[in-house]
Structures are given as structure tokens and as C-alpha cells.
């Protein structure tokens, strides 16, 4: 009897070890299948739907393994908070560096992640444009038109949306140039702009739905790629206006080190982000109206993008940590302006 109990106990131990090993390798169907979760921001659904297909083919050819990729989308700031609070992600592909740093600060991503991939771990870029109704009935041409009394503006909430923070900073940069750095006048300009905001959705895709599908507002402050997708879906209803000043938006990608080491998926996660820089993936970015970081491939899309647009960078705000503290932290300039606007 004792030998039988010992054999059963040993068998159970082996089975348990097998289950642990099976889970740790990121596989949930068979030993030749690896799974990854990519937590991303709002407007990247179409981009990663296309990219995941070509990456699966690439990974199969390289390793002989099948790979399954789960996507999660939402406002970038909210997504970062979810990951920091336990939402399991092998990789994050978020709207801005600050949101990835929030996950780093939670102890899940190692220092130095910005240097892990090319171009500060930004495989594609975008900028902020205006989406208006066909014919531009309110004759909206630049940021100063957005503070007129009869203009209804749609933009997401900078407290939850990375795109909304880019919107805000682009408007601030315009006003800063207009008023030669007089911050009191700049704040007044931004206050007037947000007094005209009809809806503050939590993310960029929600703001697009408010403007495009629900018909609210005269102008949507939008990621360039999001604006182009709207025109692709409704070519007779909308057009894009490029303001005189905008901002170089650099969405960031990173491996969530704690998760990939726990799951044994570091190799697949690294390849997943690295392959975003391949020529094939760069053209998928361009086809989905993101600006490829590869300058040669970007030039192939010169008939799509305005490559001469005046783009400021986040460094003109002292980098993301300084911009976040001054403008978007609790009690920062946005809270001050928006509370006074309500």
C-alpha cells in the first residue's frame, strides 16, 4: 500500500510539474503554439489586425511554431494603469513614452526600455490633424479657429487618452508661438478651446465615434491615421485639415519584462516588436496611415502624408515627465483650465 501511495504521489508531482512548465512557456493549446498579449491604445486595431497576420507567418517560418496574439485596446493612459495593476501583457504598444514609464515605475518593465529598439522604441509615428465635415462649412483652417464661439470641438480626455495629450500639446505649441511665450495668454487660449469641447471621451476611438457616427461637433482633433481611416470609410462626408503647427507623436513599444520572464515568452515578444521595423511591417504601418520610421519607406507615402508639416517635439516641453507633471497630473494646468471652463 505504501509503495502504491508513493507511486501515486510521484505521478501527481510529475503532472503538476508538467502543468507549471506548460503554463510558463506561454502555450495554452500545444507545445508548438505560443501565445502573446499585446496591450495597445485606441486607434491601432486595424494596424495590429494586419500586422499580427504577417508576424504569425514570419514566426512560423522562423521557428516552426504557431503563435496566437491577443489584442487589448483602450485609452493609452487607462491601458497603462490596467497593466500596472495586473492586466497581463507580454508587450505594450502605447500612445506615448510616459504611459510605458508608468508600467516601468510599477516594477514590470526594466529601465532603459527606450533604447531597446530603434528610434527610441517608436517603430512608427503620427501627428495631430483636424477632421472636418466635407466642404469645411465652418472654414476651420488652424488652431485659432477652434476658439471661435460657434465651433464645437471633439477631443478625448487628456487624463485617460494619450492621443488627447498630443492634441493638447499641439494646441499649446501653436498658442505659445502666437503669443511669444506669454503663458497667461497661452492658458487663456487653451481654456477657450476646451470651453468649445462638447464631449471628452476616454479614448481616441470613442471621440471618433462621437464625431463621425453620432454627428456631434464641427471638428475632431485626431491622430492622422484615425482621420484617414474615417475618410476611407466615409469618403464623401469628411476631409482633413492640416494645421500650421502640429506635434511629432511617437507611440512607444516595450516588452513587459516581468510577464515575459514569468511566462517564458521573451524570445517571441522581442521578435514581435523587432519585426515592426521590417520593410513588410513598415509598409503595413504606412497602409494603415501611420508614418513609417524608415525614412526611405516613408517617402513612398509622400502622396499620402504632408511631409513638410511643421512638427514640434515633446522635447520642447522638457520631455514627457516634465510635460505630464506640469500639464496632466492632478492639479496641473489642464485641471486648472478645465475646471474654470466648466
Amino acid at each position: 500500500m505504501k509503495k502504491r501511495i508513493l507511486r501515486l504521489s510521484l505521478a501527481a508531482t510529475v503532472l503538476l510539474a508538467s502543468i507549471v512548465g506548460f503554463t510558463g512557456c506561454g502555450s495554452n493549446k500545444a507545445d508548438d503554439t505560443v501565445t502573446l498579449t499585446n496591450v495597445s491604445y485606441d486607434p491601432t486595431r486595424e494596424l495590429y489586425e494586419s500586422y499580427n497576420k504577417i508576424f504569425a507567418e514570419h514566426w512560423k517560418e522562423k521557428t516552426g511554431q504557431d503563435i496566437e496574439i491577443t489584442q487589448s485596446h483602450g485609452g493609452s493612459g487607462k491601458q497603462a494603469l490596467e497593466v500596472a495593476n495586473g492586466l497581463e501583457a507580454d508587450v505594450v504598444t502605447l500612445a506615448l513614452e510616459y504611459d510605458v514609464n508608468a508600467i516601468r515605475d510599477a516594477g514590470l518593465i526594466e529601465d532603459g526600455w527606450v533604447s531597446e529598439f530603434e528610434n527610441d522604441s517608436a517603430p512608427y509615428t503620427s501627428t495631430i490633424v483636424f477632421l472636418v465635415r466635407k466642404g469645411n462649412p465652418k472654414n476651420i483652417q488652424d488652431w485659432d479657429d477652434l476658439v471661435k464661439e460657434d465651433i464645437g470641438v471633439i477631443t478625448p480626455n487628456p487624463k485617460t487618452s494619450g492621443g488627447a495629450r498630443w492634441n493638447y500639446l499641439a494646441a499649446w505649441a501653436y498658442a505659445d508661438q502666437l503669443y511669444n511665450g506669454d503663458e497667461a495668454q497661452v492658458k487663456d487660449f487653451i481654456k477657450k478651446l476646451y470651453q468649445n469641447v462638447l464631449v471628452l471621451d476616454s479614448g481616441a476611438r470613442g471621440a471618433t465615434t462621437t464625431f463621425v457616427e453620432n454627428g456631434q461637433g464641427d471638428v475632431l482633433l485626431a491622430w492622422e491615421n484615425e482621420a484617414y481611416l474615417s475618410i476611407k470609410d466615409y469618403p464623401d462626408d469628411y476631409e482633413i485639415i492640416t494645421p500650421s503647427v502640429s506635434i511629432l507623436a511617437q507611440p512607444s513599444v516595450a516588452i513587459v519584462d516581468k510577464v515575459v520572464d514569468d511566462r517564458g515568452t521573451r524570445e517571441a515578444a522581442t521578435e514581435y516588436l523587432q519585426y515592426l521595423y521590417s520593410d513588410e511591417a513598415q509598409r503595413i504601418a504606412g497602409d494603415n496611415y501611420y508614418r513609417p520610421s524608415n525614412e526611405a519607406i516613408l517617402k513612398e507615402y509622400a502622396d499620402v502624408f504632408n511631409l513638410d508639416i511643421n512638427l514640434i517635439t515633446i522635447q520642447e516641453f522638457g520631455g514627457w515627465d516634465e510635460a505630464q507633471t506640469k500639464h496632466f497630473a492632478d492639479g496641473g494646468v489642464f485641471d486648472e483650465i478645465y475646471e474654470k471652463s466648466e
Side-chain angles (χ1 to χ4, degrees):
M1 176 66 73
K2 287 183 179 180
K3 289 183 179 180
R4 184 168 178 267
I5 292 173
L6 180 61
R7 284 197 298 271
L8 287 173
S9 176
L10 180 60
T13 301
V14 171
L15 177 60
L16 178 60
S18 299
I19 292 171
V20 170
F22 185 68
T23 304
C25 71
S27 301
N28 66 356
K29 286 191 175 181
D31 290 336
D32 60 351
T33 300
V34 62
T35 62
L36 291 179
T37 297
N38 174 10
V39 173
S40 195
Y41 65 105
D42 246 348
T44 60
R45 291 170 173 82
E46 294 80 9
L47 168 62
Y48 282 106
E49 182 180 352
S50 297
Y51 175 70
N52 290 346
K53 291 176 183 177
I54 66 140
F55 179 75
E57 294 171 0
H58 165 74
W59 183 255
K60 179 74 170 181
E61 182 178 344
K62 181 176 181 177
T63 68
Q65 282 185 315
D66 292 320
I67 190 164
E68 294 181 356
I69 301 151
T70 300
Q71 288 295 135
S72 172
H73 298 274
S76 186
K78 184 175 181 295
Q79 292 287 82
L81 183 62
E82 294 282 356
V83 174
N85 288 337
L87 175 63
E88 191 172 81
D90 299 276
V91 299
V92 290
T93 55
L94 297 175
L96 42 93
E97 181 181 321
Y98 180 83
D99 290 336
V100 180
N101 283 341
I103 302 169
R104 177 203 63 190
D105 294 344
L108 301 177
I109 293 177
E110 296 173 1
D111 287 338
W113 68 267
V114 174
S115 302
E116 191 161 356
F117 301 99
E118 298 171 50
N119 300 307
D120 296 328
S121 291
Y124 42 80
T125 66
S126 191
T127 188
I128 302 305
V129 298
F130 304 160
L131 186 68
V132 300
R133 306 193 188 282
K134 197 73 171 181
N136 195 7
K138 294 293 183 74
N139 193 30
I140 295 167
Q141 301 296 334
D142 214 337
W143 293 99
D144 56 346
D145 293 316
L146 305 188
V147 302
K148 294 177 179 178
E149 292 184 359
D150 64 338
I151 300 297
V153 178
I154 302 297
T155 181
N157 188 342
K159 306 291 278 191
T160 56
S161 166
R165 278 171 270 178
W166 290 117
N167 293 350
Y168 171 103
L169 293 175
W172 184 283
Y174 172 87
D176 187 61
Q177 293 182 19
L178 180 66
Y179 296 114
N180 296 313
D182 185 326
E183 189 159 301
Q185 288 186 291
V186 175
K187 285 183 178 181
D188 187 60
F189 180 92
I190 300 297
K191 176 183 174 182
K192 288 178 180 177
L193 192 160
Y194 278 90
Q195 284 175 333
N196 284 346
V197 173
L198 304 180
V199 180
L200 276 181
D201 289 288
S202 63
R205 184 54 57 88
T208 301
T209 298
T210 294
F211 182 73
V212 172
E213 297 183 19
N214 299 342
Q216 298 188 53
D218 301 299
V219 56
L220 171 69
L221 308 188
W223 290 95
E224 184 176 48
N225 64 288
E226 190 79 345
Y228 273 111
L229 286 175
S230 297
I231 288 180
K232 182 179 179 181
D233 291 340
Y234 304 96
D236 299 326
D237 297 331
Y238 301 99
E239 61 185 85
I240 291 172
I241 302 296
T242 301
S244 63
V245 175
S246 195
I247 192 165
L248 178 65
Q250 294 176 286
S252 296
V253 303
I255 295 167
V256 185
D257 297 289
K258 179 69 165 59
V259 172
V260 299
D261 287 343
D262 286 348
R263 300 187 68 240
T265 55
R266 179 174 288 277
E267 182 182 359
T270 301
E271 186 70 13
Y272 182 77
L273 296 185
Q274 185 63 57
Y275 198 67
L276 284 166
Y277 294 86
S278 69
D279 288 355
E280 184 179 19
Q282 289 283 288
R283 290 190 175 93
I284 283 180
D287 291 344
N288 282 274
Y289 307 107
Y290 283 91
R291 297 181 176 221
S293 62
N294 182 315
E295 290 292 332
I297 293 178
L298 175 60
K299 289 177 182 177
E300 296 176 12
Y301 293 85
D303 60 337
V304 176
F305 303 120
N306 178 356
L307 301 183
D308 297 322
I309 185 173
N310 178 18
L311 297 178
I312 61 140
T313 72
I314 191 61
Q315 298 310 317
E316 296 181 43
F317 293 89
W320 265 113
D321 286 342
E322 187 172 327
Q324 177 72 23
T325 299
K326 176 176 179 176
H327 293 279
F328 309 118
D330 290 345
V333 175
F334 175 75
D335 283 351
E336 175 191 340
I337 288 169
Y338 195 64
E339 286 169 5
K340 290 181 179 179
S341 301
E342 292 179 316

